[in-house]
């Protein structure tokens, strides 16, 4: 027994385990409290976040609807699916058809626009350009037939009338088709201006009716024909109207 007036200091011992009464006739095991670090360590590690599913493509089949497709792919609703595929579906979400490709889990790219179909006017312009290109590359034979045809093409550009038959007929009468023919005996020759070439044109007439773009040589077959036809058109209306010396 402690001395009167004095108190014995209670000794506190750290107990790792102990028993306390628990009800009648029972005992419960006391476990010491663990430190915060230990408690945290004891908690199970959090499961890593599930990786986001990669986008995929779904092909619409008969009987499908956006709601049905959204449910089948665990989407939040048909609106999410529609917003992701608005560029493919269009303005009416109810109008989807078998074979339509929908993107699940990402925005769909707008389909490529088909090439614009040429309008009739553009098509005609293309054909005109093609004909012009062919005309630019047209070649003519270096003979009477080729000279007449080339002359007719030039005459058409300058609005000079005349036909193949009218030109050919007058050439055969005037020079027999010889581009170097010259008349040294008629009145023109006496005056110092002999008739020359396929259609027997004198120098003053050739200079006055020369057609731009042709040679300045009056013996040149094409230049001679076009100048003569230009003169005949001015005086007779057309080389076709000439049936004798002119």
């Amino acid at each position: 027994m402690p001395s009167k007036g004095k108190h014995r200091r209670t000794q506190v011992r750290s107990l790792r385990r102990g028993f306390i009464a628990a009800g009648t006739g029972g005992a419960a095991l006391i476990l010491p409290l663990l430190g915060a670090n230990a408690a945290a360590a004891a908690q199970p590690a959090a499961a890593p976040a599930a990786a986001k599913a990669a986008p995929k493509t779904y092909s619409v089949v008969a009987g499908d609807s956006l709601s049905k497709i959204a449910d089948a792919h665990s989407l939040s609703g048909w609106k999410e699916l529609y917003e992701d595929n608005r560029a493919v579906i269009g303005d009416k979400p109810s109008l989807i058809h078998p074979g339509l490709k929908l993107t699940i889990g990402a925005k769909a790219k707008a389909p490529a626009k088909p090439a614009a179909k040429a309008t009739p006017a553009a098509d005609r312009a293309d054909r005109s350009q093609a004909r012009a290109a062919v005309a630019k590359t047209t070649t003519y034979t270096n003979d009477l037939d080729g000279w007449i045809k080339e002359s007719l093409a030039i005459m058409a550009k300058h609005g000079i009338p005349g036909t193949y038959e009218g030109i050919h007929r007058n050439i055969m009468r005037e020079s027999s088709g010889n581009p170097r023919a010259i008349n040294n005996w008629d009145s023109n020759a006496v005056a110092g201006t002999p008739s020359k070439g396929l259609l027997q044109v004198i120098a003053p007439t050739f200079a006055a009716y020369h057609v731009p773009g042709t040679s300045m040589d009056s013996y040149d077959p094409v230049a001679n024909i076009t100048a003569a036809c230009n003169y005949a058109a001015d005086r007779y209306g057309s080389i076709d109207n000439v049936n004798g010396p002119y």
Side-chain angles (χ1 to χ4, degrees), residues 52-135:
K52 187 176 181 180
K56 58 184 178 180
T57 301
Y58 175 79
S59 183
V60 175
V61 298
D64 269 344
S65 67
L66 292 183
S67 296
K68 182 178 178 181
I69 299 169
D71 290 342
H73 291 85
S74 302
L75 301 179
S76 61
W78 69 268
K79 290 184 178 180
E80 176 188 351
L81 181 61
Y82 174 60
E83 289 302 324
D84 284 348
N85 291 274
R86 180 188 288 269
V88 176
I89 298 172
D91 295 331
K92 295 183 178 181
S94 60
L95 298 181
I96 60 174
H97 55 81
L100 185 66
K101 303 294 183 182
L102 302 180
T103 300
I104 308 297
K107 289 281 187 182
K109 294 182 180 179
K113 293 182 179 180
K117 186 177 181 180
T119 62
D123 188 47
R124 287 194 297 272
D126 290 342
R127 289 198 298 269
S128 296
Q129 291 176 355
R131 286 194 295 269
V134 172

Side-chain angles (χ1 to χ4, degrees), residues 138-208:
T138 300
T139 57
Y140 301 94
T141 55
N142 188 29
D143 55 19
L144 182 58
D145 178 71
W147 300 331
I148 295 175
K149 288 179 179 177
E150 185 174 356
S151 296
L152 285 169
I154 296 172
M155 290 163 57
K157 291 180 181 179
H158 292 272
I160 302 171
T163 64
Y164 186 101
E165 187 279 330
I167 295 172
H168 187 273
R169 169 168 44 82
N170 281 284
I171 286 175
M172 298 310 294
R173 185 187 68 252
E174 294 290 341
S175 66
S176 299
N178 178 12
R180 303 301 299 181
I182 184 171
N183 186 326
N184 289 315
W185 55 266
D186 65 5
S187 59
N188 289 320
V190 172
T193 56
S195 302
K196 301 176 182 179
L198 289 173
L199 283 171
Q200 293 292 282
V201 183
I202 63 175
T205 301
F206 180 83

Side-chain angles (χ1 to χ4, degrees), residues 36-44:
N37 291 339
Q43 296 297 324

